[in-house]
Amino acid sequence: MRFFPYDQPYANQREAMDRIHNSLHRGQDVLFEGACGTGKSLSSLVPALEVAREQDKTVVITTNVHQQMRQFVAEARAITREESIRAVVFKGKSSMCHIDVGYEECQVLRDNTRAVVDAERDREQLERRQRELLAESQEGDGSAADARSAVMDELDDIEERLEDLEEQNVCDYYRNNLTQNTDDFFGWLFEDVRTPDDIYEYAEQQQFCGYELLKEGIEGVDLVVCNYHHLLDSTIREQFFRWLGRDPDDVIAVFDEAHNVEDAAREHATRTCSERTFDSALDELAETDDPRSEDAANVLSAFHRALVETYEDAFGFGDREGIGDNWSDVPIANEDRKDDLTLEFLQRYSGRGIDDDLEAAMKLGQELDEQYEEAYREGETATRTECQTLQAAGFVSAWMTESSAEGLYPVVSVTRDAGTDEVYGRAELYSCLPRQVTGQLFEEVHATVLMSATIHPFEVTENVLGLEDAVTMAYGLEFPEENRRTYAVETPPLFSSDRDDPAVQETVAETIHDAVRMTPGNTLAFFPNYGEASRYADRLASRSDRTLYLDEPGQSVEELRQQFVADDGAVLCTSLWGTLAEGVSFDGDDAHTVLVVGVPYPHLDDRAEAVQDAYDVAFDGTDTGWRYAVEIPTVRKTRQALGRVIRSPEEVGVRALLDRRYSRQAKPDLGRYSVNGTFPHEEREELIDIAPDKLKFAMLNFYGGHDEYDGEPPTP
């Protein structure tokens, strides 16, 4: 409890901390589900810090939700008021760079700057030495004069070297790191838990590179808060642990919102290469007089032509005109033979051999990349050029060796350049099995805690992420049951084929209107997509006098949230796939009722089918793919949205699911389309089936019974 910063834990929070402590002490992985608002973060963080203190480990807590990162900072600050810990918050270089350069450029600038500083220090030492020898020679020491002559020769060499170095590109911020006293920075850094924004601003005032100082300062800290990619990207993870001064077995990893790890790991394992990269690579090779450029261009141009031909052949009448500025997939996979792109490439290629040409392209690309780095280092170019030949050749090599591997799905996608109106494509090796990324990570680190309000079913999470013998624990919403109601409202199922039916829309819109009228305060309404949110926002606006907020793509979500919670009696319509559906709290009077309208199935395209097929094969079951890849993630999305309200024991609220597929009594009629059985047992038991026209009376009785109405209750 020394790391617990508040007076008393919630119900079951102490038990959870004890169980997690014992598991981490034994080096076991933990799957921990806790309802929203029940203190999962501290339940995981407190025992992790205790075990880290006992066994000399470092705790790394990672999230992909900005709101949660702010929450961890707040909790870490609260802990430091009770027990001394050294904690840092780490973000990627791009968000902390003062001169806005890429990773490769930054590396060259650091090397150049260090070389200049080292040379200046050598010069200073030699100048000091020559002055000492001059004084000794003037006192009659003949050997000192000879020694001084040698030192002067070295000084001349250093001066020439410095003249050359001063023409190179350097970073003044990093130079200050190397030449000025940084003790005050590190003293300030560990006085409290500093955010990356705090560090950026403080370092800017002092003209330091805060990112590099942070890398220097994190060795041996107790706690690091970071993004998913610091652990899921194997290259970044290796560097990150080196900066920590820790071996993987010295790290306890805590994953927040762990239901998102599956998609994040899949994204980190996926490789892409666009047509533009091949164009640039061929231009690069055309300007190179190296004899290997012909072989390299031969293989890369064949793949480039095959890529273009593959998506052009896939276009039907009017398809090209319909391409927008988002990437659209062109299916190329075949069950009984190689994918269409590979077949087209093999047909178009003519040369001494694909492997030989790719080897020539890779070696030439590596040499060109070294030349670009040297040119930037020497100040001959203002930016560090990336070798496109190396990138393109590396991708084609991976495509030819890995496209048939287990869990990898070959895809071609197309998009339209908004500036030139040009349509172009890319090839992609889409990774279907996230355990190929996460399995290795979980084996390397000492132990992990994966926590979420929606990580059930545990066996599915274990299988998908490659966990073995994890300790599992689940705690439902422990707040008083009499303070909440959860309804499964039997409005018509919003199947995609029925969404445009006027009768269906009228029933759903009227039910939403009833729920809003009966809510004594703000209402959150989640829909399967932004289009449906907009549709019902329009219908609600025509029949309600409540203030209506509509979340739309590209809008500032935090600004919208602040406007909404400052209101009273407002409605916020948004997508279940938007950022407001998870990781964002609506506490107290921020919102009283949450509506989930429809079942938020993902877009069932060829990628989704590929993931289902991969899961069917990997987990040996014909229906496993649908359950693992579609049904369970869909219900998790719904459960996340329901958890946006009722965040403390004192709060009173209604949670309503508007779609027959959620109800218990509709299961026999809907068969596999019913999702009621996918909810955990405890949550399923709380669902009350209700007819649409009865919802307003149920809500009136519930809120009225809790004296939530200010004045006269609304008329049903």
Side-chain angles (χ1 to χ4, degrees):
M1 289 296 290
R2 61 175 165 170
F3 292 108
F4 192 82
Y6 308 116
D7 291 337
Q8 291 295 329
Y10 286 134
N12 289 331
Q13 198 174 32
R14 179 58 187 263
E15 177 188 336
M17 288 191 289
D18 286 342
R19 293 188 63 193
I20 292 173
H21 173 270
N22 293 337
S23 301
L24 296 181
H25 189 82
R26 294 189 294 264
Q28 295 175 292
D29 298 315
V30 177
L31 291 176
F32 172 32
E33 177 169 300
C36 295
T38 56
K40 290 187 301 299
S41 301
L42 282 176
S43 296
S44 301
L45 181 55
V46 165
L49 286 170
E50 177 65 26
V51 172
R53 182 68 58 87
E54 294 169 355
Q55 300 186 9
D56 188 26
K57 309 291 185 186
T58 291
V59 178
V60 177
I61 190 162
T62 180
T63 182
N64 68 337
V65 180
H66 294 303
Q67 177 75 17
Q68 289 300 100
M69 183 169 282
R70 290 193 289 270
Q71 178 67 24
F72 292 135
V73 170
E75 289 174 345
R77 284 174 174 164
I79 290 171
T80 61
R81 307 295 185 265
E82 304 297 322
E83 182 75 15
S84 176
I85 63 169
R86 298 173 76 221
V88 296
V89 185
F90 208 86
K91 288 181 75 172
K93 178 199 164 304
S94 61
S95 63
M96 298 185 68
C97 182
H98 299 271
I99 59 175
D100 194 24
V101 297
Y103 175 78
E104 297 290 344
E105 290 174 308
C106 179
Q107 186 173 26
V108 171
L109 288 174
R110 290 199 314 273
D111 292 344
N112 284 352
T113 305
R114 185 173 289 280
V116 169
V117 170
D118 288 346
E120 288 175 342
R121 286 173 177 165
D122 290 344
R123 180 178 63 184
E124 183 180 340
Q125 292 175 356
L126 289 170
E127 286 178 341
R128 186 185 310 116
R129 181 58 180 156
Q130 73 87 11
R131 288 194 296 270
E132 292 171 352
L133 292 170
L134 176 61
E136 293 173 10
S137 65
Q138 289 174 341
E139 293 174 359
D141 187 341
S143 62
D146 293 338
R148 180 175 180 272
S149 177
V151 169
M152 294 301 293
D153 289 340
E154 287 186 58
L155 264 173
D156 289 340
D157 292 341
I158 288 284
E159 292 289 356
E160 289 181 14
R161 193 164 135 221
L162 270 171
E163 286 181 13
D164 293 338
L165 288 172
E166 285 169 356
E167 295 178 1
Q168 298 179 358
N169 292 310
V170 297
C171 175
D172 291 333
Y173 287 90
Y174 185 59
R175 183 190 184 101
N176 291 335
N177 286 13
L178 300 175
T179 59
Q180 296 185 19
N181 190 322
T182 58
D183 289 349
D184 287 346
F185 173 87
F186 289 113
W188 167 85
L189 179 65
F190 292 114
E191 281 177 353
D192 203 341
V193 182
R194 310 296 186 182
T195 68
D197 290 341
D198 295 335
I199 294 169
Y200 181 93
E201 291 173 7
Y202 186 91
E204 178 68 29
Q205 292 172 3
Q206 306 297 319
Q207 294 292 286
F208 287 140
C209 174
Y211 179 75
E212 289 299 320
L213 288 178
L214 186 59
K215 282 166 53 178
E216 293 177 25
I218 66 173
E219 184 171 355
V221 297
D222 302 294
L223 171 66
V224 184
V225 182
C226 63
N227 297 319
Y228 273 1
H229 68 264
H230 287 100
L231 293 185
L232 294 180
D233 186 298
S234 59
T235 302
I236 296 175
R237 180 169 73 243
E238 183 179 349
Q239 292 178 332
F240 187 54
F241 286 173
R242 189 163 58 247
W243 297 335
L244 285 172
R246 295 293 195 178
D247 292 327
D249 189 50
D250 296 322
V251 172
I252 297 172
V254 180
F255 282 87
D256 174 57
E257 303 291 353
H259 59 280
N260 290 321
V261 171
E262 177 182 353
D263 286 339
R266 188 177 290 123
E267 180 182 335
H268 278 84
T270 295
R271 301 182 61 169
T272 64
C273 192
S274 88
E275 182 182 334
R276 298 258 172 105
T277 300
F278 286 102
D279 288 334
S280 299
L282 293 172
D283 290 342
E284 186 176 58
L285 291 170
E287 297 173 359
T288 305
D289 56 8
D290 189 290
R292 292 169 295 182
S293 63
E294 184 176 347
D295 292 336
N298 183 46
V299 67
L300 296 185
S301 63
F303 196 91
H304 174 262
R305 293 195 306 272
L307 173 60
V308 174
E309 194 65 30
T310 299
Y311 71 70
E312 291 286 358
D313 284 350
F315 286 152
F317 180 76
D319 286 348
R320 171 180 281 275
E321 290 70 24
I323 299 298
D325 56 5
N326 293 319
W327 289 100
S328 301
D329 286 353
V330 175
I332 61 169
N334 299 299
E335 291 185 4
D336 56 347
R337 61 188 189 279
K338 291 280 190 180
D339 63 90
D340 293 344
L341 175 54
T342 301
L343 293 174
E344 187 70 30
F345 173 50
L346 294 174
Q347 184 175 349
R348 287 184 169 275
Y349 173 81
S350 61
R352 60 175 185 163
I354 291 175
D355 291 342
D356 290 339
D357 283 357
L358 282 174
E359 182 179 1
M362 289 288 290
K363 289 182 177 179
L364 177 56
Q366 290 166 354
E367 292 180 17
L368 289 173
D369 198 56
E370 292 170 2
Q371 292 173 20
Y372 295 151
E373 180 166 336
E374 183 66 22
Y376 182 66
R377 187 187 304 276
E378 297 296 329
E380 297 171 10
T381 58
T383 58
R384 204 283 194 187
T385 304
E386 299 291 331
C387 181
Q388 304 300 299
T389 298
L390 184 59
Q391 292 189 30
F395 179 82
V396 176
S397 179
W399 183 276
M400 296 305 293
T401 57
E402 299 174 16
S403 58
S404 299
E406 180 191 11
L408 288 178
Y409 180 67
V411 185
V412 167
S413 306
V414 291
T415 190
R416 184 180 301 278
D417 187 307
T420 64
D421 203 41
E422 173 192 1
V423 171
Y424 65 99
R426 72 178 181 191
E428 179 177 350
L429 283 173
Y430 180 67
S431 180
C432 298
L433 298 176
R435 68 180 184 181
Q436 294 173 339
V437 172
T438 54
Q440 179 184 358
L441 167 63
F442 298 145
E443 287 180 6
E444 289 178 353
V445 297
H446 173 74
T448 60
V449 180
L450 290 94
M451 61 179 180
S452 170
T454 57
I455 206 170
H456 253 111
F458 289 136
E459 71 275 8
V460 174
T461 301
E462 288 183 282
N463 289 340
V464 167
L465 298 183
L467 284 163
E468 295 184 5
D469 300 322
V471 176
T472 62
M473 59 188 73
Y475 297 94
L477 200 58
E478 297 297 325
F479 306 149
E481 288 189 27
E482 62 268 19
N483 285 357
R484 66 183 184 269
R485 288 290 184 273
T486 309
Y487 298 108
V489 187
E490 295 191 305
T491 53
L494 285 180
F495 294 116
S496 57
S497 58
D498 297 330
R499 288 178 185 172
D500 292 331
D501 186 327
V504 170
Q505 292 180 20
E506 179 60 26
T507 301
V508 173
E510 188 58 30
T511 307
I512 296 172
H513 179 228
D514 286 344
V516 169
R517 284 196 308 115
M518 296 300 145
T519 298
N522 289 343
T523 302
L524 280 167
F526 291 98
F527 297 85
N529 53 58
Y530 286 107
E532 290 296 291
S534 178
R535 184 205 299 269
Y536 285 100
D538 289 343
R539 282 184 163 269
L540 191 59
S542 66
R543 65 184 75 195
S544 175
D545 58 358
R546 297 284 183 104
T547 305
L548 195 145
Y549 296 92
L550 175 62
D551 179 20
E552 298 177 288
Q555 188 173 5
S556 171
V557 173
E558 180 56 25
E559 183 178 327
L560 180 68
R561 189 194 70 83
Q562 291 179 5
Q563 292 175 351
F564 171 67
V565 300
D567 215 323
D568 184 27
V571 186
L572 173 56
C573 296
T574 185
S575 169
L576 279 154
W577 297 95
T579 56
L580 289 171
E582 60 178 88
V584 179
S585 300
F586 292 86
D587 302 319
D589 292 330
D590 289 353
H592 281 281
T593 296
V594 58
L595 309 175
V596 174
V597 183
V599 178
Y601 283 118
H603 180 52
L604 299 179
D605 55 13
D606 289 293
R607 287 177 192 248
E609 293 287 345
V611 173
Q612 292 179 62
D613 292 343
Y615 283 172
D616 279 339
V617 172
F619 306 121
D620 201 21
T622 54
D623 240 4
T624 303
W626 170 263
R627 183 167 175 262
Y628 279 25
V630 179
E631 188 170 285
I632 289 171
T634 295
V635 171
R636 283 175 177 163
K637 185 67 67 176
T638 298
R639 295 174 63 211
Q640 281 288 329
L642 289 181
R644 294 314 94 208
V645 300
I646 311 177
R647 311 283 295 186
S648 72
E650 299 78 25
E651 293 181 27
V652 173
V654 166
R655 307 179 300 176
L657 301 167
L658 275 60
D659 194 301
R660 282 193 75 224
R661 287 172 285 183
Y662 291 114
S663 78
R664 180 185 291 105
Q665 66 182 23
K667 287 172 65 176
D669 299 334
L670 293 170
R672 72 175 295 186
Y673 295 107
S674 170
V675 295
N676 178 274
T678 310
F679 283 79
H681 173 75
E682 295 79 6
E683 294 181 23
R684 194 164 61 244
E685 289 299 302
E686 275 202 39
L687 287 175
I688 301 171
D689 292 354
I690 193 169
D693 59 348
K694 304 297 183 185
L695 177 63
K696 56 188 175 183
F697 298 104
M699 290 181 64
L700 177 66
N701 291 334
F702 172 75
Y703 281 125
H706 284 82
D707 296 324
E708 290 294 306
Y709 294 119
D710 185 12
E712 287 295 319
T715 302

